[in-house]
Amino acid sequence: GIISSNLFYEAFELPSGIAISTRRAMAIPRAIHELVWGLLLLQIMALNTWVAIMAICIPYSLMMGKVVADQIDSLDKSSLLALKSEGSGAISALVTFLTPRLISIINIYGGYRLECALRGATLLGVFGLGGLGTELQLTLQSLEFKEMWTALWMITILMFILERSLNKLREPNF
């Protein structure tokens, strides 16, 4: 995300066309849904747990990169310019300028994407890539509805715990 932001290239005084090219290159794999990635990777890597992990990580990490780049480009650059005018190098100025701002962005949006990834992993499991989704599918096929409801309640509890944990991390006194 940082490398595809215009601010990165301004800090290093490089042409901004590279940022545009990077964003366009990131858009192609990001546009493919994780289920399609799962089916594509299943053909390449056969049936293993890495297929589901990669199928979720590819579009989600690129989506996170786009959000980070957009957030960075919307920041007021006056602090960065002040750091550079005082003689700070481009890397140290960027780290000093971006670190406090990126922590909150990653915390908020990263938590949301983590929650979506957990639901996506369940969906990929229904299609045979292992995990809780596979267990849901098997219990539904065998008409073991008590087991199915237990699994659904476990997903609900997991989402609730994740939500509470992320809210706790966002509290200023944590």
Side-chain angles (χ1 to χ4, degrees), residues 46-107:
L47 186 62
N48 66 53
T49 55
W50 284 103
V51 170
I53 293 169
M54 288 177 58
I56 291 173
C57 286
I58 291 170
Y60 280 32
S61 60
L62 293 169
M63 206 173 307
M64 185 71 178
K66 181 187 181 336
V67 169
V68 168
D70 290 343
Q71 291 293 320
I72 289 172
D73 286 339
S74 70
L75 295 173
D76 181 24
K77 301 170 190 157
S78 60
S79 301
L80 179 66
L81 297 174
L83 286 168
K84 286 195 66 166
S85 68
E86 291 297 321
S88 178
I91 293 175
S92 60
L94 270 174
V95 169
T96 304
F97 176 71
L98 291 178
T99 301
R101 292 159 179 90
L102 285 180
I103 289 172
S104 65
I105 294 168
I106 291 172
N107 185 11

Side-chain angles (χ1 to χ4, degrees), residues 23-160:
R23 282 187 186 214
R24 288 182 181 160
M26 287 172 54
I28 296 166
R30 187 181 68 235
I32 300 171
H33 193 272
E34 62 264 16
L35 183 59
V36 177
W37 274 112
L39 294 172
L40 289 171
L41 292 170
L42 191 61
Q43 297 301 312
I44 296 169
M45 299 172 57
L47 186 62
N48 66 53
T49 55
W50 284 103
V51 170
I53 293 169
M54 288 177 58
I56 291 173
C57 286
I58 291 170
Y60 280 32
S61 60
L62 293 169
M63 206 173 307
M64 185 71 178
K66 181 187 181 336
V67 169
V68 168
D70 290 343
Q71 291 293 320
I72 289 172
D73 286 339
S74 70
L75 295 173
D76 181 24
K77 301 170 190 157
S78 60
S79 301
L80 179 66
L81 297 174
L83 286 168
K84 286 195 66 166
S85 68
E86 291 297 321
S88 178
I91 293 175
S92 60
L94 270 174
V95 169
T96 304
F97 176 71
L98 291 178
T99 301
R101 292 159 179 90
L102 285 180
I103 289 172
S104 65
I105 294 168
I106 291 172
N107 185 11
I108 292 168
Y109 191 72
Y112 167 71
R113 294 311 304 172
L114 177 62
E115 185 179 324
C116 292
L118 290 173
R119 282 184 269 136
T122 304
L123 177 68
L124 288 173
V126 170
F127 289 97
L129 294 177
L132 192 55
T134 302
E135 294 299 319
L136 279 172
Q137 180 189 18
L138 292 174
T139 57
L140 188 62
Q141 286 175 346
S142 63
L143 303 175
E144 294 291 334
F145 296 116
K146 289 181 181 179
E147 286 181 29
M148 183 189 72
W149 278 108
T150 302
L152 289 173
W153 279 112
M154 291 306 294
I155 293 171
T156 304
I157 291 169
L158 178 66
M159 291 297 163
F160 179 74

